[in-house]
């Protein structure tokens, strides 16, 4: 007796109009906004832990050593440069792409207003690990809402779709690469950076199926959330 496998939920590569027409807005919109806030909050945890920045922030801090720009300005400029890479990947931006750029920074600043800065190593480690896990969950939440990934996550999903490699592998390679460049530019690297670079891909991969909401009417699937290619 054979057992039929449950249908796979899919990540669709569609434009903003199709995203809005995809239905289930009662779930998708709150999931998007909450995911973006938690993403910024997880970044604040990593910063306050003081044990190493997230890989992209290592790059941002490294660039800041060489140009007279604020940290936030560098993040914004780099986000638009990353979006240019979307063009050959045919990755379509969406509402979530814009909201990512608008909400994550303020969410980080707001969280740091009440988030403690522990002085004991044990609490620093706990804050760092929680930040990494929460970031993976937040990434799965806003990507799975199907309103388009943020600039950097769109690079991840686009490369995964085009190359046929797993999201886990692609994200890990991207994170390790930006850390290397950021470190060469003088960016801040620590044990938290290594933990994030190696752990965020598997965490996001594991949680993405649970948070992926299929669009209705159904669009042609581009990237599977449950059955992406393995390494």
């Amino acid at each position: 007796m054979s057992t039929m496998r449950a249908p796979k939920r899919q990540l669709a590569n569609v434009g903003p109009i199709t995203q809005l027409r995809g239905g289930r807005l009662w779930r998708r919109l709150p999931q998007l906004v909450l995911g973006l806030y938690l993403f910024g909050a997880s970044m604040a945890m990593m910063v306050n832990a003081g044990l190493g920045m997230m890989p992209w922030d290592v790059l941002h801090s490294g660039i800041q050593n060489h140009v007279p720009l604020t940290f936030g300005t560098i993040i914004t400029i780099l986000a638009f440069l990353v979006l240019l890479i979307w063009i050959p990947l045919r990755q379509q931006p969406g509402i979530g792409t814009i909201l990512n750029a608008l909400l994550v920074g303020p969410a980080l600043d707001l969280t740091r207003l009440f988030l403690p800065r522990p002085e004991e190593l044990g609490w620093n480690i706990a804050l760092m690990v929680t930040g990494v896990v929460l970031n993976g969950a937040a990434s799965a939440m806003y990507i799975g809402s199907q309103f388009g990934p943020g600039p950097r996550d769109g690079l991840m999903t686009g490369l995964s779709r085009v190359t046929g490699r797993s999201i886990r592998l692609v994200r890990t390679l991207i994170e390790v690469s930006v850390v290397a460049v950021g470190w060469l530019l003088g960016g801040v690297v620590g044990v938290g950076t290594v933990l994030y670079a190696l752990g965020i891909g598997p965490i996001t991969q594991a949680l993405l199926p649970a948070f992926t909401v299929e669009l209705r009417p159904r669009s042609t699937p581009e990237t599977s959330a449950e059955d992406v290619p393995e390494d």
Side-chain angles (χ1 to χ4, degrees):
M1 179 177 179
S2 61
T3 301
M4 295 184 63
R5 187 176 181 181
K8 295 173 289 188
R9 282 167 286 184
Q10 307 282 346
L11 292 177
N13 182 33
V14 296
I17 301 301
T18 304
Q19 292 167 9
L20 286 174
R21 292 176 176 173
R24 297 183 178 178
L25 296 181
W26 60 270
R27 173 181 171 181
R28 293 168 57 219
L29 281 171
Q31 180 175 310
L32 169 66
V33 175
L34 179 60
L36 290 175
Y37 173 77
L38 293 178
F39 192 90
S42 67
M43 293 174 66
M45 291 179 180
M46 294 285 291
V47 172
N48 278 24
L51 298 176
M53 293 184 178
M54 291 182 178
W56 282 99
D57 285 341
V58 173
L59 179 59
H60 298 149
S61 64
I63 294 174
Q64 191 176 30
N65 292 331
H66 302 277
V67 295
L69 297 173
T70 66
F71 200 89
T73 300
I74 294 171
I75 292 176
T76 302
I77 292 175
L78 199 60
F80 282 104
L81 292 177
V82 170
L83 285 175
L84 292 178
I85 306 176
W86 283 32
I87 298 175
L89 296 176
R90 296 183 179 180
Q91 184 75 11
Q92 301 189 57
I95 298 170
T97 308
I98 305 303
L99 289 181
N100 182 288
L102 294 176
L103 298 182
V104 170
L108 184 151
D109 292 336
L110 177 62
T111 302
R112 295 195 72 196
L113 291 177
F114 60 84
L115 188 68
R117 297 184 179 184
E119 297 181 357
E120 297 182 5
L121 181 59
W123 286 110
N124 285 323
I125 294 175
L127 192 61
M128 172 191 68
V129 172
T130 302
V132 173
V133 175
L134 182 61
N135 190 267
S139 297
M141 288 179 70
Y142 78 76
I143 293 173
S145 70
Q146 303 258 40
F147 281 111
R152 295 158 184 83
D153 284 303
L155 177 63
M156 172 191 68
T157 56
L159 285 173
S160 175
R161 172 172 47 82
V162 170
T163 64
R165 310 300 289 183
S166 71
I167 287 179
R168 176 174 59 247
L169 175 63
V170 171
R171 180 150 193 171
T172 298
L173 290 176
I174 291 174
E175 304 289 8
V176 171
S177 297
V178 297
V179 166
V181 175
W183 178 74
L184 290 173
L185 293 173
V188 180
V189 181
V191 64
T193 308
V194 177
L195 178 63
Y196 184 91
L198 297 178
I200 193 62
I203 294 171
T204 303
Q205 173 105 357
L207 296 177
L208 192 54
F211 288 110
T212 297
V213 185
E214 271 197 301
L215 301 183
R216 295 178 179 175
R218 183 164 180 164
S219 303
T220 302
E222 296 289 350
T223 304
S224 170
E226 292 189 351
D227 196 28
V228 294
E230 294 298 329
D231 304 354

